[in-house]
Amino acid sequence: MRYVLCLFGIIFCLSNIALAGDAGFTQKDREFLIRLDERLNQIDKRFEQIDKRFEQVDKRFEQIELRISELREDMNKRFEQVDKRFEQVDKRFEQVDKRFEAMIQLMMAIIGAFAAIVAVSIGFAIWDRRSMIRPFETKVKAIEEDLLEDKNRLKKLIEALKQLAREDHKLAAVLRNFALL
């Protein structure tokens, strides 16, 4: 199609040149047309070479498109594999989460048991101390009561000695030495 258009364009230009001149068809014109024909043949050959090159380029593009489609398929397969791996990883994480929750529950149970043991130990220690101190408290109270009773007796004894010291001067001197009078 291109060749035909080029050929018509050249013929149109040449016909205008031929019509413009007054002289008829000369030997120069004939040689010019022969050279022109040769050049057109060379141009046709070049166009054929260009067409072959375009065909080769088209083939290369087709090959590239095939490669690209193969690469897409490979990539899609790889993405599917990666998706499967992610699904496996998700399942593993779920299993780890379940194990982690079980470990946390176990740790909470251990902490609870430890806290209970500590509370029972402290409670036992307090109970033991109280039960051990009660007999001492009763004894101390008894001793305090005895001391209070003895104190009352001592006061009475000092009163008695003071009364006796009114009559006995030696006893009064002794009581003064001890600051009882």
Side-chain angles (χ1 to χ4, degrees):
M1 182 73 175
R2 288 184 229 160
Y3 308 121
V4 174
L5 289 175
C6 288
L7 186 61
F8 282 130
I10 293 171
I11 291 172
F12 179 73
C13 289
L14 291 177
S15 65
N16 285 338
I17 293 171
L19 291 176
D22 295 329
F25 197 70
T26 63
Q27 183 66 25
K28 255 184 174 180
D29 291 335
R30 189 175 260 172
E31 290 173 3
F32 178 73
L33 283 175
I34 292 171
R35 280 184 287 168
L36 185 62
D37 188 40
E38 288 175 6
R39 284 188 183 173
L40 283 177
N41 286 338
Q42 289 175 356
I43 290 173
D44 283 342
K45 287 179 184 177
R46 287 182 185 167
F47 274 125
E48 286 175 10
Q49 290 174 354
I50 289 173
D51 283 341
K52 287 179 183 177
R53 287 182 186 168
F54 275 125
E55 287 174 6
Q56 290 174 353
V57 168
D58 287 341
K59 287 180 183 177
R60 287 182 185 166
F61 275 125
E62 288 174 5
Q63 290 173 352
I64 289 172
E65 286 177 2
L66 285 174
R67 287 181 186 168
I68 288 173
S69 64
E70 289 173 357
L71 286 173
R72 281 183 187 165
E73 290 175 8
D74 287 343
M75 285 176 55
N76 287 336
K77 288 178 184 177
R78 288 182 183 168
F79 278 127
E80 289 173 5
Q81 290 173 351
V82 168
D83 286 341
K84 288 179 184 177
R85 287 182 184 168
F86 276 129
E87 289 173 4
Q88 291 173 351
V89 168
D90 284 341
K91 288 178 184 177
R92 288 181 185 163
F93 274 128
E94 288 173 5
Q95 292 172 349
V96 168
D97 281 342
K98 289 178 184 177
R99 289 179 185 166
F100 185 70
E101 288 175 9
M103 285 178 58
I104 288 177
Q105 290 175 354
L106 179 64
M107 290 298 291
M108 294 300 281
I110 291 171
I111 290 171
F114 181 73
I117 290 170
V118 167
V120 167
S121 297
I122 291 173
F124 178 73
I126 291 172
W127 173 80
D128 186 46
R129 292 289 177 182
R130 284 188 181 172
S131 64
M132 192 170 143
I133 292 175
R134 280 191 188 138
F136 290 117
E137 286 177 347
T138 55
K139 287 180 182 178
V140 168
K141 283 183 184 178
I143 291 171
E144 283 177 351
E145 288 174 2
D146 286 344
L147 284 175
L148 187 60
E149 193 176 303
D150 288 343
K151 188 178 179 183
N152 288 336
R153 282 186 189 166
L154 187 61
K155 281 184 182 180
K156 287 180 183 177
L157 180 63
I158 291 174
E159 285 295 322
L161 288 173
K162 282 182 183 179
Q163 285 179 3
L164 192 59
R166 285 183 196 155
E167 295 173 7
D168 188 5
H169 294 293
K170 281 184 178 181
L171 183 61
V174 171
L175 289 177
R176 277 189 203 118
N177 284 339
F178 287 104
L180 294 174
L181 256 184

